[in-house]
Each structure stands twice: as C-alpha cells, then as structure tokens.
C-alpha cells in the first residue's frame, strides 16, 4: 500500500505488506535526494528500495521531496518534521536516513538532531553543511559513506573526509570508476543500503 501525505515537504509512504509478528519496534527508512530535489535518488534506487522494504514486517519506507531544494536549513527542518509526522501517525520508534549528494548534509544534520535516528547513510555526499558528522557517534548513531571514485561532481575525497571525522560505528565504501549517481554499481549500492537499513531497523528489542 502506498499513501501520499502533504505537509510542508511532500512524502511518499510505503507500508509493509508483511504482517508477521517481529521482535523489533516499528521503524522507518527515509530517503532524500540531491540539491535538485525529487524522489528517485542516485540511479533511481529509492523507489525500488522502498518497494523491497515492504517485504519486511514493521518497516515503513518514505521518499521525501524538499519544499526548497538546495536550501539546507529548510531541508533539514523538512526531514525533522517528516519524522515527527510519522511518529504521530504510525508510532515509529527508530529511523534510518539515506541522503544523496546535497542530501548527505541534510541527513547528517537531521540525524544529529533527532533522537529517534539510529543510523545515516550518504551516497556521493558533499562536505558543506556536515559539521555535525562527529556528533553522530557521540549519540551512538552509525554512519555509512558510499562514493564513486570517478565522481566528477563531488570527488570521493568528500566521503573520505566525512569518514575520518565520524566516530564508530562507521563504514566507507568506494566504487572504482563510478560516477556521481553510482550508476555502474546500482544493484550493489542498493543491496548495501538495504543491508545497512535492516541492520539498524531490525535490531531486536532488549
């Protein structure tokens, strides 16, 4: 089932089709795009990832489009408000964020601010607006940084810098010769993101 909710940012919500009982609380994956906005993300991964996540119980996937693309502070606020909306409507208890390019700064900033965020992943992230990356580990939040080494828009050194500044747990994945949209390794990137999301949304409740 897919619902569309509008409040400030536009979001597409995918509800799990799996009604099996599970030993973890309701969680959400939220995906944001680059400075141009939109829903699809790098190599149009987001729609496919959202649909695949529907096979897992108690997980809601969301694609979010900014009100004001490329304006960092309003975009961060859009993401924080979206989390709060999902808490109100679906009683979610944990969140994983994915951001591409400019969206990397958005998820790093929002992840450091919102208490429900367990982990963030970036794909070909910029470094501008990412000063709070070191705060994530201080709050026990994991980081995954993905980048193509042939990126002509934002060099892979950006993700290397973010990785150095981040605390544990953290991971850096670089793809030789790939571009800003990691189109040459689309399936590998999607599978890596999926594995990362499930790792932090499906942790059993202690």
């Amino acid at each position: 089932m897919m619902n569309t909710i509008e409040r400030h940012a536009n979001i597409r919500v995918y509800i799990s089709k799996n009604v099996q009982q599970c030993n973890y609380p309701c969680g959400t994956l939220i995906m944001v795009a680059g400075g141009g906005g939109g829903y699809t993300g790098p190599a149009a991964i987001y729609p496919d990832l959202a649909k695949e996540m529907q096979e897992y119980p108690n997980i809601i996937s969301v694609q979010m489009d900014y009100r004001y693309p490329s304006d960092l502070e309003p975009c961060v606020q859009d993401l924080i408000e979206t989390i709060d909306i999902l808490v109100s409507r679906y009683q979610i208890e944990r969140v994983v964020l994915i951001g591409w390019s400019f969206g990397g700064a958005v998820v790093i900033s929002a992840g450091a601010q919102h208490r429900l965020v367990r982990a963030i992943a970036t794909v070909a992230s910029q470094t501008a607006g990412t000063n709070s990356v070191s705060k994530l580990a201080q709050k026990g939040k994991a980081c995954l940084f993905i980048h193509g080494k042939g990126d002509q828009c934002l060099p892979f050194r950006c993700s290397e810098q973010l990785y150095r500044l981040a605390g544990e747990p953290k991971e850096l994945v670089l793809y030789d010769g790939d571009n800003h949209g990691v189109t040459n390794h689309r399936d590998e990137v999607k599978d890596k993101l999926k594995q990362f999301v499930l790792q932090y949304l499906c942790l059993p409740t202690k």
Side-chain angles (χ1 to χ4, degrees):
M1 183 174 88
M2 186 182 81
N3 301 321
T4 300
I5 303 171
E6 290 190 8
R7 178 186 169 186
H8 294 221
N10 293 318
I11 61 176
R12 295 177 177 174
V13 181
Y14 296 76
I15 307 297
S16 173
K17 296 177 180 178
N18 190 327
V19 296
Q20 292 180 347
Q21 290 189 339
C22 56
N23 61 352
Y24 53 87
C26 185
T28 296
L29 161 64
I30 306 178
M31 299 165 278
V32 299
Y39 296 103
T40 58
I45 285 172
Y46 290 169
D48 289 348
L49 183 56
K51 291 173 184 175
E52 289 184 19
M53 297 302 294
Q54 286 183 294
E55 302 304 318
Y56 296 87
N58 235 17
I59 293 179
I60 296 167
S61 297
V62 175
Q63 297 163 250
M64 192 196 86
D65 188 21
Y66 315 114
R67 290 174 298 158
Y68 306 108
S70 295
D71 193 344
L72 182 60
E73 199 54 44
C75 291
V76 172
Q77 191 59 42
D78 283 345
L79 185 47
I80 290 172
E81 287 185 358
T82 294
I83 296 173
D84 290 339
I85 290 170
L86 295 167
V87 170
S88 175
R89 295 197 178 208
Y90 302 106
Q91 293 74 56
I92 63 166
E93 297 182 31
R94 51 178 66 164
V95 179
V96 174
L97 305 175
I98 298 175
W100 173 42
S101 191
F102 164 81
V106 176
V107 301
I108 288 170
S109 298
Q113 293 181 45
H114 205 289
R115 64 180 181 83
L116 292 185
V117 175
R118 291 292 188 90
I120 66 98
T122 68
V123 180
S125 180
Q126 65 182 40
T127 53
T130 61
N131 293 340
S132 56
V133 67
S134 61
K135 297 179 182 178
L136 293 165
Q138 296 171 14
K139 300 179 180 181
K141 301 176 181 185
C143 297
L144 168 65
F145 306 105
I146 295 174
H147 220 119
K149 295 183 77 172
D151 191 337
Q152 297 298 306
C153 180
L154 290 167
F156 72 94
R157 304 294 182 193
C158 292
S159 286
E160 288 187 326
Q161 179 178 331
L162 292 172
Y163 178 78
R164 286 195 301 271
L165 293 172
E168 297 288 351
K170 61 182 178 178
E171 184 177 359
L172 174 66
V173 179
L174 301 176
Y175 292 99
D176 286 335
D178 214 341
N179 52 50
H180 190 57
V182 290
T183 55
N184 299 330
H185 294 85
R186 181 188 189 277
D187 290 342
E188 293 96 321
V189 172
K190 178 171 64 66
D191 290 345
K192 181 64 180 176
L193 290 170
K194 180 179 176 181
Q195 177 189 40
F196 180 77
V197 171
L198 291 173
Q199 179 181 354
Y200 289 98
L201 288 187
C202 298
L203 282 172
T205 302
K206 294 181 180 180

